[in-house]
Amino acid sequence: MSEPQWLDDVETRAWIGFVRTRDLVAAAVGRDSARDSNLTFVEYSVLANLADAPDHRLTFADLAEKLEWSQSRLSHQITRMEKRGLVVREPIPDDARRTAARLTPRGAEVLDTAAPAHVSSVRRHMIDALDREQLTALADIYDALLGHHRRPAAEPEA
């Protein structure tokens, strides 16, 4: 077994900074969301993705992919949200093995009410802490990381 290639100081700062910042920002936005709209960060994410979809409806496979979740995790989350009247499950007419989630009118109303406070929270906890150049650099960095992780396993790196 070969010796691990340990992280140097800059690599360690980048990794720890990412982990801590992701956790801190998500927790802060989540706290604000729960306080301001009685929605968890996760519930807001589900509702927002459905609101952006045609007919406010996505298959579980498509929604799980957008959220970067397993379909099992999504199924449990949808069950909880169905109980609150925010979403419903719908069968796919031409494929009995697949299911879709659809935003309900109540879910759309809750999302519309929550959205302004959510955006304000995201701005306060992340966007406004950076200048435009830093924000552009961060967006470029995340695009590169997302591209790297979404590349099919068999596809070689450029």
Side-chain angles (χ1 to χ4, degrees):
M1 186 153 120
S2 64
E3 181 69 21
Q5 185 180 357
W6 300 109
L7 301 180
D8 66 26
D9 290 344
V10 171
E11 293 165 338
T12 298
R13 279 182 49 226
W15 172 245
I16 298 300
F18 162 75
V19 170
R20 289 182 180 160
T21 301
R22 188 260 176 237
D23 291 347
L24 287 170
V25 171
V29 172
R31 278 190 307 274
D32 288 352
S33 181
R35 181 192 66 235
D36 297 339
S37 61
N38 197 29
L39 283 177
T40 67
F41 184 79
V42 167
E43 289 169 333
Y44 186 92
S45 297
V46 170
L47 295 178
N49 275 280
L50 290 173
D52 288 342
D55 300 322
H56 302 300
R57 182 178 188 263
L58 286 168
T59 66
F60 272 42
D62 290 341
L63 183 54
E65 182 179 332
K66 286 180 176 294
L67 294 166
E68 313 255 356
W69 294 356
S70 70
Q71 287 191 47
S72 174
R73 176 183 181 192
L74 178 61
S75 181
H76 291 294
Q77 184 62 49
I78 293 297
T79 297
R80 289 188 292 274
M81 293 175 74
E82 277 183 303
K83 291 175 183 173
R84 294 183 57 197
L86 303 174
V87 298
V88 292
R89 289 173 198 256
E90 294 182 338
I92 305 291
D94 56 342
D95 188 348
R97 297 169 297 171
R98 297 173 60 213
T99 303
R102 185 178 48 79
L103 185 66
T104 64
R106 171 158 167 61
E109 181 183 318
V110 167
L111 180 63
D112 287 345
T113 301
H118 175 81
V119 170
S120 177
S121 179
V122 169
R123 285 195 168 284
R124 184 172 56 259
H125 295 295
M126 182 180 158
I127 303 301
D128 293 344
L130 304 171
D131 64 32
R132 197 64 182 180
E133 186 176 318
Q134 291 169 321
L135 194 58
T136 299
L138 185 61
D140 291 345
I141 289 164
Y142 286 133
D143 286 346
L145 288 169
L146 288 168
H148 171 77
H149 287 281
R150 290 180 176 151
R151 184 181 313 115
E155 185 180 318
E157 292 186 34

